[in-house]
Amino acid sequence: MAIAATASLETALGKLNEHKVGALAITDNGGALLGLVTERDVLLKTGLGHMTFRSVLEQPIAAFMTPLDDTTRATPDSTLDQCLQKMLATDGRHMPVLDASGRLESMLSLRDVCCAVIAGGELESTTSVGEALYFSDQRVGSITEVSATSVVADAVIQMRSRGTSSVLVPLAQRTIAEGCVSYGIFTERDYAQRALTSGVADVRYAPLHDFITMPPALISVERGLPVVEALAILAREKIRHVPVVAEATEATRPHLLGVLSMRELIAHLFT
């Protein structure tokens, strides 16, 4: 999926939302690839300051683009493992595949890699998501969360400052660290494809609650589930973040332990 560098951010967001993808290739007037714009670029580079938000949406998409270099692109003869290692090394989730003339041939996503790994059926790892969570900084006690009364800008600021691609939103008076078991999640995708395309005049100050994914739509996994099976769930449901919960007992409901991303799960298997 490509878009001209002169197109507006608003037009690009419409394409992301229409096609349910996380990145667009940016091209010049001759069709040559200049770079990518991803949901992460949108999160990090849309202004939250004095400019009117309308003016931000009208800016050319090139202003939000990440330029390409040899570490962030592939060729048709690149192996899946080579692409995956580049993605993990650069913390990227999308990689354009260029033909011999440097033209865009296709776009590889981390989800594509995940699906290929699962379809190959060669992974025999018995590592659980609970073990993977041990190495994550998104465990209860340090997890990024904002209150249910927050506005969109509050969540964006937290995600930027913590370097995370999601925040949890407790739906009760207690915080998650205090044991709240009802919560929603707000992600980069929610910001780019729901909040910014909502038509709200200035979405920075819109209630965050309007754009989060909440139970029962919010999918979680138990800590004993093998990482490979968790990846299969993320790939099938087309999501990139999953809360990890402790198993329920007769006396207790499942309680949150943390949140893992698709990238963390894949990295745990291949690094």
Side-chain angles (χ1 to χ4, degrees):
M1 186 62 57
I3 191 171
T6 53
S8 68
L9 172 61
E10 186 173 32
T11 300
L13 291 174
K15 278 186 171 288
L16 288 172
N17 191 34
E18 177 186 359
H19 298 282
K20 302 304 178 188
V21 294
L24 295 173
I26 310 302
T27 60
D28 64 16
N29 291 335
L33 185 65
L34 300 175
L36 298 182
V37 66
T38 68
E39 291 165 339
R40 181 174 299 167
D41 290 322
V42 174
L43 176 81
L44 296 177
K45 300 173 185 177
T46 46
L48 294 176
H50 63 279
M51 288 192 304
T52 65
F53 208 71
R54 181 72 248 169
S55 67
V56 173
L57 293 175
E58 291 171 351
Q59 289 186 56
I61 193 62
F64 304 90
M65 176 186 75
T66 297
L68 297 179
D69 59 32
D70 289 341
T71 67
T72 52
R73 58 188 172 193
T75 61
D77 58 353
S78 299
T79 66
L80 190 66
D81 183 64
Q82 288 171 335
C83 294
L84 174 59
Q85 295 307 321
K86 282 186 176 183
M87 286 182 179
L88 294 177
T90 59
D91 198 25
R93 294 194 298 256
H94 301 86
M95 181 165 289
V97 180
L98 308 184
D99 63 19
S101 65
R103 300 284 177 172
L104 180 67
E105 184 168 299
S106 60
M107 183 83 78
L108 184 71
S109 70
L110 197 59
R111 180 178 177 273
D112 295 328
V113 175
C114 181
C115 290
V117 166
I118 294 167
E122 298 176 358
L123 289 176
E124 299 180 356
S125 172
T126 58
T127 302
S128 69
V129 292
E131 294 173 273
L133 186 63
Y134 178 80
F135 297 95
S136 171
D137 62 357
Q138 290 299 299
R139 302 189 301 274
V140 168
S142 61
I143 201 166
T144 307
E145 62 176 295
V146 295
S147 74
T149 59
S150 298
V151 296
V152 169
D154 295 327
V156 172
I157 290 169
Q158 279 295 313
M159 292 161 76
R160 288 178 178 179
S161 64
R162 293 288 302 274
T164 64
S165 51
S166 67
V167 291
L168 288 188
V169 185
L171 302 178
Q173 294 300 314
R174 290 185 298 173
T175 67
I176 290 169
E178 293 170 340
C180 178
V181 295
S182 180
Y183 49 86
I185 192 169
F186 181 77
T187 68
E188 291 173 341
R189 174 154 295 180
D190 293 322
Y191 179 60
Q193 298 196 23
R194 296 178 66 186
L196 293 183
T197 62
S198 64
V200 175
D202 194 339
V203 77
R204 291 174 297 181
Y205 305 115
L208 183 64
H209 191 274
D210 293 348
F211 306 106
I212 64 176
T213 301
M214 296 187 292
L218 181 60
I219 296 170
S220 61
V221 298
E222 294 186 344
R223 61 183 165 188
L225 189 73
V227 165
V228 176
E229 293 184 29
L231 280 172
I233 292 172
L234 268 65
R236 183 181 68 245
E237 300 297 332
K238 298 183 179 181
I239 56 177
R240 290 200 300 254
H241 305 84
V242 63
V244 180
V245 298
E247 295 79 356
T249 68
E250 292 183 0
T252 63
R253 295 173 60 185
H255 62 274
L256 181 71
L257 299 175
V259 178
L260 285 172
S261 67
M262 178 179 286
R263 184 190 180 281
E264 288 176 306
L265 291 169
I266 290 179
H268 196 75
L269 292 177
F270 289 94
T271 56

